[in-house]
Amino acid sequence: MIYIGLTGWGDHDALYADLTHKKDKLYHYGAHFPIVELDASYYAVQPERNIRKWIKETPDNFKFIVKIHQALTGHASVEDFADNREQLINQFKAMLQPLHGSNKLGCLLIQFPPWFDCTTAHINYMMYLINHFKAFPISIEFRHDSWFTDDMKEHTLTFLYEQGVMHSVCDEPQAGHGCIPFVNRITHQDALVRFHGRNAFGWTKKDMTDQEWRDIRYLYDYNEHELQSLAKELQILNKKARNVYVVFNNNSGGHAAGNAKRMCEILNIEYSGLNFKQLKLF
């Protein structure tokens, strides 16, 4: 089955034209898509009350792709969030348990930074994280192209297969070492695909604040030809994988929701069991 959705549920105004209360966004989102990427977990371990609330607001067959904490991938310092790395890992694992127990965890997304290149030390650290989170489905996303050079690609895919984790298939700009090619291969019974857009200028632009970086980096609207081509790639994966989780991350200009809806049309997908759509009566 192909699950199509977006990264986050708060920034997609096109979905909420009839919404009266902003607190109902996730419920309303669940009337459109069966999957979402949870980004809040990247910035902070979420309290159990939030997780329970999100479980309650989403359909029974809904899935969350949970992004791992930034301090566990080298994007931030562990000391800013916990006494040590293992404490933070244990807190994050506890956060995942309700989602996993309710069968709403699609996978844990471990996204490494652009400077996380193919070295023995980095492979060992990957294994460290995999071993700590082995009770959960895991997907690993690279950003440095050294993992997929001609002489390393097969080694990388074999490593992920042997570790029992998903390879995050990415569509993103091809703009130097801080990006990876589109490698439409599976290393697990399930697959994760993330569409970041193809804004090469925004991907490599320097001297930006974090907010400016997010606003520019993912500013992209997939055209019809690109969506048709990507749909064919998803169909290939769907023949090999049990589930294919697809998230559109080109949010900056509000294009992700429209692109995801169009992808559903191209693939002739109509999801059942979603939430009822709320109507604005006054």
Side-chain angles (χ1 to χ4, degrees):
M1 178 176 177
I2 300 176
Y3 291 79
I4 295 175
L6 314 174
T7 55
W9 60 83
D11 299 327
H12 310 289
D13 292 342
L15 299 179
Y16 309 125
D18 296 327
L19 194 62
T20 303
H21 303 292
K22 291 184 178 180
K23 65 179 179 62
D24 296 331
K25 278 189 174 182
L26 178 56
Y27 180 93
H28 196 73
Y29 176 97
H32 293 271
F33 299 108
I35 190 170
V36 74
E37 183 176 305
L38 178 62
D39 285 342
S41 54
Y42 174 79
Y43 298 100
V45 176
Q46 298 299 300
E48 184 176 354
R49 65 178 181 276
N50 287 2
I51 301 296
R52 297 288 182 188
K53 177 176 180 290
W54 297 335
I55 290 172
K56 185 177 180 180
E57 290 178 346
T58 50
D60 291 342
N61 60 351
F62 194 88
K63 302 292 183 183
F64 289 86
I65 305 300
V66 180
K67 198 169 182 181
I68 201 169
H69 197 285
Q70 58 184 321
L72 296 178
T73 52
H75 289 90
S77 175
V78 171
E79 290 71 22
D80 292 338
F81 300 94
D83 293 337
N84 54 64
R85 182 178 286 114
E86 291 211 0
Q87 182 187 65
L88 183 58
I89 286 174
N90 289 333
Q91 291 172 351
F92 206 90
K93 287 164 67 175
M95 186 200 78
L96 291 173
Q97 286 292 352
L99 287 171
H100 189 51
S102 63
N103 198 32
K104 289 195 173 185
L105 179 64
C107 69
L108 170 65
L109 171 61
I110 303 177
Q111 183 193 55
F112 289 110
W115 56 88
F116 191 87
D117 56 353
C118 185
T119 65
T120 300
H122 287 159
I123 292 171
N124 288 337
Y125 184 67
M126 265 198 300
M127 294 180 68
Y128 168 82
L129 287 181
I130 290 169
N131 287 333
H132 273 287
F133 288 99
K134 61 185 177 182
F136 308 101
I138 298 171
S139 178
I140 287 181
E141 181 168 325
F142 300 106
R143 281 290 172 87
H144 196 279
D145 66 332
S146 59
W147 298 95
F148 292 106
T149 57
D150 289 342
D151 59 335
M152 282 305 302
K153 181 175 76 171
E154 295 304 324
H155 293 292
T156 297
L157 294 171
T158 298
F159 169 79
L160 295 176
Y161 173 79
E162 290 176 345
Q163 295 299 315
V165 303
M166 301 175 218
H167 150 56
S168 178
V169 180
C170 296
D171 185 72
E172 59 192 41
Q174 298 305 292
H177 291 301
C179 56
I180 61 170
F182 188 85
V183 180
N184 205 40
R185 300 269 296 277
I186 64 170
T187 56
H188 186 272
Q189 64 181 351
D190 295 328
L192 174 65
V193 184
R194 300 179 79 226
F195 294 144
H196 296 299
R198 300 178 179 180
N199 183 353
F201 171 77
W203 201 262
T204 58
K205 187 173 173 57
K206 307 295 184 182
D207 302 321
M208 293 185 291
T209 65
D210 183 62
Q211 186 58 49
E212 289 172 338
W213 179 78
R214 291 180 66 85
D215 289 344
I216 295 173
R217 187 180 180 98
Y218 302 109
L219 182 60
Y220 193 78
D221 186 9
Y222 284 99
N223 62 42
E224 181 67 14
H225 173 74
E226 290 167 337
L227 290 173
Q228 293 280 352
S229 177
L230 290 169
K232 293 177 181 177
E233 300 291 351
L234 294 181
Q235 289 172 322
I236 291 171
L237 285 180
N238 195 41
K239 291 178 180 178
K240 301 176 181 179
R242 180 184 64 176
N243 296 306
V244 181
Y245 303 127
V246 182
V247 288
F248 281 80
N249 191 35
N250 54 325
N251 295 331
S252 300
H255 301 116
N259 286 170
K261 290 280 190 180
R262 178 58 187 146
M263 183 62 78
C264 289
E265 291 174 354
I266 294 170
L267 294 172
N268 196 29
I269 294 174
E270 290 188 16
Y271 295 111
S272 61
L274 298 178
N275 285 340
F276 293 107
K277 291 184 179 179
Q278 298 178 0
L279 299 177
K280 185 175 181 180
L281 301 178
F282 304 101

